[in-house]
Amino acid sequence: MRDTETAIIAHQASMTGHLVFSTLHTNDAVSSVTRLKNLGIPTYLVASALNGIVAQRLLRKICPQCKEAYTPTSDELKRMGMSGSDIIQLYRGRGCKSCNGIGYAGRVGIFEVLALSNKIRDMIAQDASEQDLGKAAAEAGMTSLQTDGLKKVIEGITTLEELSRVVYLSREDKVYEEVCPSCLQPITPDSKECPHCGSNSAETCLSCGKARQPSWIICPYCAKMFEPKKPLRKSASLS
């Protein structure tokens, strides 16, 4: 569902007894609610028509031919929410002919399932924030993408670096949910300046109102395509 008309048709069909499956471009399950509201769907309609949301990502699997165990650093343990005393073994691929030297072979899915309870429906109808919805979903037992991914890291299916590439983990007690398009480092959604490279957000998306980077060609929040800027015409200089 990329536009308001499609979203309205899907919700109307679901209200007449049809089971409707569709896709959205969002960061996680909870932000899908915000995406539907940004498309112009009233909150009461979202609350009544929506049954559940499944967010999914694909991670590269460690190559079984060159898989090796190693002891993670304290920084890696911190990113996993563990202390330095929690000594565990993680796994990675050395790189071999079988995987063309990259250390990965095949992919595995990680999933986040948000089943709408009466409490969450009421919160959506009352236009609750993403943070409140996420907290209520976690209290109801929802496993996040990060948690499902970390389980697969500990099980030796994938690496922490691969999980960090696809799903941005918490660092220094701050949750990073977006990525800087300049340096590709994780940043907070409301950041106006990247803490890693210092790039500034000079404009605002006219569709959702959130800040955007000048180099972005599409809004990561509402998937709106930005019009390319026309290059300034240089004036000829006379000698």
Side-chain angles (χ1 to χ4, degrees), residues 38-49:
N38 289 338
L39 285 172
I41 307 300
T43 54
Y44 71 88
L45 190 57
V46 176
S48 60

Side-chain angles (χ1 to χ4, degrees), residues 26 51 83 108 137 142 181 190 195 211 214 217 236:
T26 59
N51 290 323
S83 63
V108 64
M142 184 187 75
D190 298 328
I217 61 173

Side-chain angles (χ1 to χ4, degrees), residues 108-230:
V108 64
I110 57 173
F111 305 93
E112 177 179 285
V113 181
L114 173 60
L116 268 70
S117 62
N118 291 332
K119 177 182 177 180
I120 295 179
R121 290 184 190 277
D122 291 340
M123 293 178 66
I124 294 175
Q126 296 170 9
D127 201 15
S129 64
E130 281 189 23
Q131 290 77 11
D132 292 337
L133 288 173
K135 183 178 179 180
E139 292 174 351
M142 184 187 75
T143 299
S144 66
L145 288 170
Q146 292 90 335
T147 302
D148 191 25
L150 286 174
K151 289 180 180 178
K152 290 178 170 60
V153 170
I154 296 174
E155 292 170 0
I157 299 175
T158 188
T159 64
L160 188 62
E161 289 75 16
E162 175 67 5
L163 178 61
S164 300
R165 184 183 69 86
V166 177
V167 179
Y168 306 113
L169 306 178
S170 60
R171 297 182 182 177
E172 297 178 0
D173 299 327
K174 295 181 181 179
V175 177
Y176 292 86
E177 300 176 349
E178 301 297 338
V179 64
C180 173
S182 299
C183 64
L184 302 181
Q185 292 295 320
I187 59 175
T188 54
D190 298 328
S191 293
K192 295 184 178 180
E193 181 175 335
C194 176
H196 307 285
C197 66
S199 59
N200 295 319
S201 179
E203 298 182 17
T204 300
C205 175
L206 299 178
S207 177
C208 64
K210 292 190 176 181
R212 56 165 287 201
Q213 295 282 349
S215 59
W216 286 357
I217 61 173
I218 187 171
C219 178
Y221 307 104
C222 66
K224 176 181 174 60
M225 293 290 295
F226 298 130
E227 291 292 334
K229 292 184 177 180
K230 296 181 180 180

Side-chain angles (χ1 to χ4, degrees), residues 13-79:
S14 67
M15 296 297 290
T16 58
H18 296 84
L19 182 60
V20 180
F21 292 90
S22 186
T23 59
L24 284 169
H25 290 269
T26 59
N27 295 322
D28 50 33
V30 174
S31 60
S32 298
V33 177
T34 303
R35 174 75 175 120
L36 290 172
K37 291 190 292 184
N38 289 338
L39 285 172
I41 307 300
T43 54
Y44 71 88
L45 190 57
V46 176
S48 60
L50 197 60
N51 290 323
I53 306 170
V54 179
Q56 61 182 14
R57 296 288 189 277
L58 286 177
L59 302 179
R60 293 179 295 176
K61 296 168 61 178
I62 300 173
C63 174
Q65 303 299 325
C66 59
K67 182 177 179 180
E68 65 176 6
Y70 75 99
T71 302
T73 64
S74 58
D75 181 63
E76 289 177 313
L77 291 174
K78 185 178 180 181
R79 290 165 62 190

